[in-house]
């Protein structure tokens, strides 16, 4: 729990909540955890549930009048609340359950502040809605996207709502893609924060409208505030009719990816 939580601004609340969830994820790592089946091979662990509870407790203490949307617990609070916090307590559950430390904790206020915590890198990427920063060991560094590393994360997790018109796996086989970029497949939205931080040149995933998803909202907010190019796989702005997600460090990288997506599908 955080002290004097009501005195924090929204970015401070997002950071505190994400860090609290990350502490739980880190503490429970490596244990034999019970699983909650979600169908289709998907599941949550006891760590997902415990981290979400901790995150929601932090937000409630700081913003008792706001609504909450948790991946595991659903929506809470008054239906007419003007403000909504979206929480993904452990993005990369399959990685985590398999003993892989590649996960993220996502907390976002709709159309506002957001934070993405790396529990094992002990780093928090955050935005106040206007600028984006990384906090490590008590120091904040302004995020600076760059395509220099040429690493591009491509999410291959189902579902694939835009197939056969778009298949992420086809992008990996595109000759232009392997000539210009170095593909990575990590299956966690931590990769979105990495684009904002200059650790990745881009991120691509299939999907529908992801702007209001608990999985993607925090990463998208951080990327936008950092100055990344953010669109759907059709190049259109994100929104109700959105199709997937392409986040690039700069316009040139985005243009190259869009030309490959459109030429190959």
């Amino acid at each position: 729990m955080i002290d004097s939580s009501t005195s924090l601004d929204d970015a401070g609340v997002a950071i505190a909540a994400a860090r609290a969830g990350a502490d739980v994820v880190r503490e429970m790592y490596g244990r034999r955890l019970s699983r909650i089946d979600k169908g289709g091979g998907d599941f949550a662990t006891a760590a997902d549930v415990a981290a979400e509870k901790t995150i929601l407790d932090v937000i409630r203490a700081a913003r008792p009048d706001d609504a909450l949307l948790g991946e595991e617990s659903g929506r809470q609070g008054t239906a007419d609340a003007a403000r909504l916090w979206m929480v993904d307590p452990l993005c990369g559950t399959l990685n985590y359950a398999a003993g892989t430390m590649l996960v993220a904790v996502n907390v976002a206020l709709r159309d506002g502040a957001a934070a993405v915590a790396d529990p094992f890198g002990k780093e928090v990427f955050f935005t106040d809605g206007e600028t984006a920063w990384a906090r490590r060991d008590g120091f904040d560094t302004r995020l600076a996207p760059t395509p220099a590393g040429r690493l591009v994360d491509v999410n291959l997790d189902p579902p694939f709502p835009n197939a056969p018109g778009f298949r992420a796996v086809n992008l990996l086989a595109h000759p232009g893609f392997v000539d210009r970029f170095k593909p990575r497949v990590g299956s966690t939205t931590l990769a979105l924060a990495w684009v904002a931080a200059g650790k990745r040149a881009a991120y691509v995933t299939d999907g529908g409208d992801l702007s209001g998803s608990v999985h993607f909202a925090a990463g998208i907010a951080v990327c936008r505030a950092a100055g990344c190019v953010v669109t759907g796989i059709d190049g259109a702005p994100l929104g109700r009719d959105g199709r997937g997600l392409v986040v690039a460090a700069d316009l040139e990288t985005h243009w190259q990816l869009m030309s490959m997506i459109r030429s190959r599908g």
Side-chain angles (χ1 to χ4, degrees):
M1 191 61 64
I2 53 179
D3 297 324
S4 304
S5 57
T6 55
S7 67
L8 292 174
D9 62 13
D10 288 334
V13 173
I15 293 166
R19 292 180 69 177
D23 288 344
V24 173
V25 169
R26 193 166 51 250
E27 178 185 352
M28 298 182 72
Y29 177 75
R31 298 184 189 178
R32 292 177 61 88
L33 300 173
S34 59
R35 299 187 180 188
I36 302 148
D37 182 32
K38 294 184 176 183
D42 192 16
F43 60 87
T45 71
D48 297 69
V49 175
E52 181 165 300
K53 181 181 184 304
T54 297
I55 293 167
L56 297 184
D57 285 347
V58 170
I59 299 173
R60 284 195 194 97
R63 301 291 188 270
D65 296 327
D66 292 356
L68 306 167
L69 177 62
E71 180 186 8
E72 309 307 333
S73 57
R75 180 161 178 147
Q76 303 172 43
T78 59
D80 60 350
R83 291 162 44 100
L84 175 69
W85 292 86
M86 293 174 282
V87 174
D88 179 2
L90 206 173
C91 185
T93 298
L94 273 67
N95 290 341
Y96 185 80
T100 304
M101 298 180 182
L102 193 58
V103 300
V105 176
N106 297 311
V107 177
L109 174 63
R110 184 174 57 192
D111 300 324
V116 179
D118 177 352
F120 300 102
K122 297 185 179 179
E123 198 167 22
V124 181
F125 308 90
F126 66 94
T127 177
D128 58 4
E130 296 182 0
T131 56
W133 305 78
R135 179 169 296 177
R136 185 181 180 88
D137 298 328
F139 295 95
D140 293 347
T141 304
R142 186 78 172 261
L143 295 182
T146 173
R150 297 193 298 151
L151 302 179
V152 175
D153 263 286
V154 181
N155 180 22
L156 299 183
D157 287 347
F160 309 118
N162 294 295
F166 170 79
R167 295 183 187 273
V169 69
N170 289 347
L171 183 61
L172 298 177
H174 192 292
F177 185 84
V178 295
D179 283 346
R180 293 177 177 85
F181 303 112
K182 296 182 181 298
R184 294 291 183 272
V185 180
S187 298
T188 171
T189 53
L190 181 60
L192 277 172
W194 286 348
V195 178
K199 299 181 181 184
R200 293 289 188 270
Y203 174 88
V204 180
T205 185
D206 198 356
D209 173 19
L210 302 180
S211 61
S213 165
V214 295
H215 304 289
F216 292 92
I220 289 171
V222 170
C223 286
R224 280 177 165 159
C228 300
V229 181
V230 181
T231 73
I233 58 172
D234 53 2
L238 303 185
R240 183 170 297 179
D241 298 321
R243 296 178 56 213
L245 183 64
V246 177
V247 176
D250 64 349
L251 283 168
E252 175 64 19
T253 301
H254 184 267
W255 179 86
Q256 290 178 350
L257 287 169
M258 291 309 306
S259 65
M260 295 171 199
I261 290 170
R262 288 165 175 158
S263 67
R264 182 83 178 205

